[in-house]
Amino acid sequence: MEPKLAHICHCLLLFLPLLSQSTIAKTLSSPNHNSINFIVSSCHATRYPNLCVKCLSSFANKIRRNENRLAQTALAVTLARVHSTTVYVTKLTKARRIKRREYLAVKDCVENLGDGLGLLAQSMRELRQVGRSGRDRDEFFSRLSNVETWVSAALTDETTCLDGFDGKFMDGVVKSAIRRRVVHVARVTSNALALVNQFAARHK
């Protein structure tokens, strides 16, 4: 495993409590309707509201009606899914019969996704500090601005991943498999960014 990916795996482990199966099971067994309504309402601000609700509703009891927790959970879900996609795409570099140009495109894609993962992990750490900023509004908005910038950059990295597969000569199983997964994580990231932006806007 490459050093960068290993570091991201370590960062991901720090945020797994947000995504634990026990949390999901507890939420599903005792749904908090007010929290679900809060999630549904908040997801209206995203480009993909149905996907937003689907990703976050399992964590309703964790989120409750807290905007910071909502944004943190959205980022944690995004981090987990981008990590999973990065691992999948990395394996394709070792696929049999992969063409040279496909290999190079996949390798570039892995690098872009890895950069995005780093930015998302950094965003998670920064957003956690937002809640500890107390009454220091300058620090509060400075940290939020950092998160907005980094998540936006991560989204750019994800979409850039597909650039190497432009053109019909790149059509095939490899391109289709990567495109399907990267488009999904880009949408999840876009939603997380919208929720962070909404959180920031409501405190200005």
Side-chain angles (χ1 to χ4, degrees):
M1 182 179 293
E2 295 182 4
K4 179 185 291 185
L5 193 55
H7 172 69
I8 298 301
C9 288
H10 174 70
C11 291
L12 184 61
L13 290 174
L14 297 178
F15 307 124
L16 282 179
L18 281 172
L19 308 174
S20 67
Q21 290 299 316
S22 60
T23 300
I24 296 174
K26 181 179 179 181
T27 301
L28 292 178
S29 64
S30 56
N32 185 318
H33 297 296
N34 288 332
S35 297
I36 291 291
N37 289 338
F38 171 69
I39 291 171
V40 171
S41 176
S42 298
C43 284
H44 286 322
T46 69
R47 290 190 64 183
Y48 311 99
N50 291 336
L51 177 62
C52 176
V53 173
K54 184 178 180 181
C55 289
L56 299 177
S57 59
S58 296
F59 308 101
N61 281 356
K62 178 76 175 181
I63 296 168
R64 297 187 180 277
R65 297 178 64 84
N66 186 298
E67 292 176 327
N68 194 326
R69 288 180 186 172
L70 176 71
Q72 281 193 46
T73 304
L75 283 179
V77 169
T78 302
L79 186 66
R81 297 198 180 191
V82 176
H83 174 263
S84 176
T85 296
T86 304
V87 171
Y88 173 83
V89 175
T90 300
K91 290 179 180 178
L92 289 180
T93 61
K94 301 176 183 179
R96 291 183 178 182
R97 299 180 181 177
I98 186 171
K99 300 174 184 177
R100 173 68 177 173
R101 60 176 177 264
E102 289 178 328
Y103 171 81
L104 293 174
V106 170
K107 190 175 180 181
D108 286 344
C109 182
V110 170
E111 184 175 344
N112 286 321
L113 290 175
D115 290 341
L117 270 172
L119 289 166
L120 290 170
Q122 194 173 348
S123 299
M124 276 293 304
R125 291 191 294 269
E126 191 77 345
L127 192 55
R128 282 190 165 187
Q129 293 300 318
V130 167
R132 301 169 185 170
S133 299
R135 297 183 179 181
D136 189 334
R137 288 182 60 81
D138 289 340
E139 180 184 355
F140 180 88
F141 287 113
S142 176
R143 290 188 181 280
L144 269 179
S145 179
N146 288 339
V147 174
E148 290 175 303
T149 299
W150 295 335
V151 178
S152 179
L155 180 58
T156 298
D157 283 328
E158 292 159 12
T159 55
T160 301
C161 162
L162 297 175
D163 289 349
F165 296 93
D166 284 345
K168 291 185 177 180
F169 65 92
M170 290 295 289
D171 289 350
V173 176
V174 172
K175 178 179 178 178
S176 297
I178 290 179
R179 178 175 176 76
R180 183 170 60 253
R181 286 168 173 79
V182 172
V183 167
H184 173 76
V185 297
R187 290 177 177 178
V188 173
T189 305
S190 171
N191 284 347
L193 177 59
L195 293 176
V196 171
N197 289 341
Q198 180 176 246
F199 175 48
R202 288 181 177 175
H203 287 80
K204 289 182 179 177

